[in-house]
Amino acid sequence: VDRHPKIGNGVLIGAGSSVLGNVKIGDGVQIGAGSLVITDVDENSVCVGVPAQVIGVVKKGSREEGYESPAEKMEQSKAVIELYDENRFEI
């Protein structure tokens, strides 16, 4: 029985966060501090809350040149600049 989370490459998991169950966290995801992740998260997403919800997606190529992983530089300071959907933002 497969009950454990699958964490992608370069994922930034904030302090006190929990990832529970058989969920897949895509590459380059940022999870906010204190979040509870219980569903799959697509790559390059930003999610926060209890339970965690995706609030934004980082566009390919919008990260600094030379790295694609928020975990490498602990990048947590991207500003939300444009409404992306009903409850999502593009950063």
Side-chain angles (χ1 to χ4, degrees):
V1 176
D2 195 6
R3 300 182 290 197
H4 305 289
K6 312 307 178 276
I7 309 295
N9 295 317
V11 173
L12 180 104
I13 301 175
S17 296
S18 297
V19 181
L20 302 177
N22 185 21
V23 297
K24 182 177 186 269
I25 308 299
D27 295 341
V29 167
Q30 298 178 45
I31 300 172
S35 297
L36 172 63
V37 181
I38 55 175
T39 58
D40 292 351
V41 181
D42 293 333
E43 66 180 31
N44 296 312
S45 296
V46 179
C47 64
V48 296
V50 177
Q53 294 183 356
V54 174
I55 61 161
V57 177
V58 177
K59 291 189 225 175
K60 279 260 192 225
S62 66
R63 298 197 193 278
E64 290 179 28
E65 189 174 324
Y67 87 103
E68 284 295 320
S69 163
E72 286 181 25
K73 284 195 174 181
M74 298 294 288
E75 178 60 62
Q76 301 174 49
S77 61
K78 295 285 184 188
V80 175
I81 57 170
E82 182 178 325
L83 188 61
Y84 176 71
D85 214 9
E86 184 178 303
N87 294 320
R88 296 175 184 220
F89 298 90
E90 193 166 309
I91 54 178

